[in-house]
């Protein structure tokens, strides 16, 4: 299995632009997580899906952030409009079921200038 | 707010010694516990999972869980320089409505 696949690996964008991050979970996994990592705040859970349904989005910082999972093999995290404080590494992770081991993608390093 | 606490370190351990990493969590109903290793600039990598009280061993790694004390630990025997990394403790609550909550990690340095 190829593992969790994220794209792009790096994204540099200007403030105010829309940013879309993509994730393909491990085949057969039913839970998907989006995290943001910064030096100050560590790994923060933004949202998680179970069977393509958003279960907990309490970590989404504000309305500028949205996430979708249209099918079992694809999810997006969108930031519109982006701001410099959104600069971070964004990770996607998946697990077979919600309380079991989660495996991470390589991450997307986002820089908003 | 469910919290997972770790000492940020750095924790410095001589090569060949035992490294001991600790983690406490606030949600008494937590069911699943994990240790991840993260090298600088890389993604978190799962090392151990533990679901019941006691010890679980896998090679040089031993995870220990004490639910009564809300405490999880990771022991690394025969520490190697390649073990130098940040170790993240992660906890799943039992309710199912919460995702995996991470501590901020302990930075471990193995001195050759």
């Amino acid at each position: 299995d190829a593992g969790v696949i994220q794209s792009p690996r790096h994204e540099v964008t200007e403030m105010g632009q829309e940013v879309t991050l993509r994730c393909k979970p491990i085949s057969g996994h039913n839970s998907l997580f989006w995290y943001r990592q910064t030096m100050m705040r560590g790994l923060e859970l933004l949202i998680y899906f179970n069977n393509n349904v958003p279960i907990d989005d309490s970590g989404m910082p504000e309305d500028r952030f949205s996430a979708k999972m249209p099918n079992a093999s694809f999810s997006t995290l969108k930031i519109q409009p982006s701001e410099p404080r959104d600069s971070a590494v964004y990770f996607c992770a998946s697990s077979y079921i919600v309380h079991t081991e989660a495996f991470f993608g390589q991450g997307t390093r986002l820089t908003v200038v | 707010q469910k919290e997972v606490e770790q000492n940020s370190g750095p924790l410095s351990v001589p090569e060949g010694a035992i490294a001991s990493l600790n983690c406490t969590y606030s949600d008494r109903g937590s069911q699943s516990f994990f240790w991840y290793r993260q090298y600088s600039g890389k993604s978190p990598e799962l090392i151990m999972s533990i679901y019941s009280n006691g010890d679980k061993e896998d090679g040089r790694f031993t995870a220990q869980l004490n639910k009564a004390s809300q405490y999880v630990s990771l022991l690394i025997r025969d520490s190697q320089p390649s073990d130098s990394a940040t170790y993240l403790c992660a906890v799943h609550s039992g309710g199912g409505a919460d995702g995996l909550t991470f501590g901020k990690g302990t930075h471990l340095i193995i001195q050759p």
Side-chain angles (χ1 to χ4, degrees):
Chain A
D1 198 316
V4 177
I5 299 173
Q6 292 186 245
S7 64
R9 293 290 308 276
H10 302 274
E11 177 80 34
V12 180
T13 191
E14 292 185 347
M15 182 174 63
Q17 296 299 304
E18 177 179 297
V19 175
T20 299
L21 311 182
R22 298 172 175 80
C23 176
K24 176 178 168 58
I26 293 172
S27 178
H29 280 194
N30 298 305
S31 294
L32 183 140
F33 310 86
W34 281 101
Y35 287 89
R36 177 172 67 177
Q37 187 174 39
T38 61
M39 288 292 292
M40 288 296 295
R41 300 174 69 91
L43 262 174
E44 300 175 278
L45 178 65
L46 300 177
I47 186 170
Y48 95 91
F49 295 85
N50 196 40
N51 293 321
N52 311 338
V53 175
I55 303 299
D56 180 11
D57 65 355
S58 60
M60 296 286 262
E62 48 198 273
D63 292 345
R64 298 185 296 107
F65 286 68
S66 62
K68 294 181 179 179
M69 191 165 187
N71 57 62
S73 58
F74 184 66
S75 178
T76 59
L77 178 67
K78 184 178 294 186
I79 309 172
Q80 166 63 20
S82 58
E83 296 183 2
R85 60 193 169 117
D86 301 330
S87 297
V89 181
Y90 290 81
F91 288 106
C92 175
S94 72
S95 65
Y96 176 58
I97 55 176
V98 70
H99 290 128
T100 59
E101 293 90 346
F103 298 91
F104 280 73
Q106 295 291 81
T108 295
R109 181 173 296 277
L110 173 65
T111 303
V112 183
V113 297
Chain B
Q1 180 76 16
K2 295 177 172 60
E3 295 182 349
V4 178
E5 300 289 341
Q6 295 182 254
N7 189 320
S8 62
L11 174 64
S12 186
V13 174
E15 183 176 357
I18 296 175
S20 178
L21 305 162
N22 304 315
C23 170
T24 59
Y25 57 95
S26 64
D27 181 13
R28 187 170 288 278
S30 297
Q31 295 292 320
S32 311
F33 307 86
F34 308 93
W35 283 99
Y36 287 79
R37 177 177 63 199
Q38 187 175 27
Y39 294 113
S40 180
K42 301 296 186 182
S43 59
E45 172 192 11
L46 180 69
I47 297 176
M48 295 281 291
S49 60
I50 186 166
Y51 299 94
S52 55
N53 279 330
D55 295 359
K56 179 181 178 182
E57 186 175 319
D58 183 0
R60 295 187 297 111
F61 299 96
T62 299
Q64 300 174 316
L65 173 61
N66 184 325
K67 289 187 177 180
S69 300
Q70 296 176 235
Y71 178 90
V72 193
S73 65
L74 179 71
L75 302 178
I76 306 175
R77 289 181 300 281
D78 189 22
S79 298
Q80 303 296 310
S82 59
D83 295 326
S84 298
T86 296
Y87 288 80
L88 301 164
C89 175
V91 176
H92 254 308
S93 70
D98 301 313
L100 191 58
T101 302
F102 281 81
K104 291 190 176 179
T106 297
H107 182 42
L108 176 65
I109 299 171
I110 306 300
Q111 296 177 321

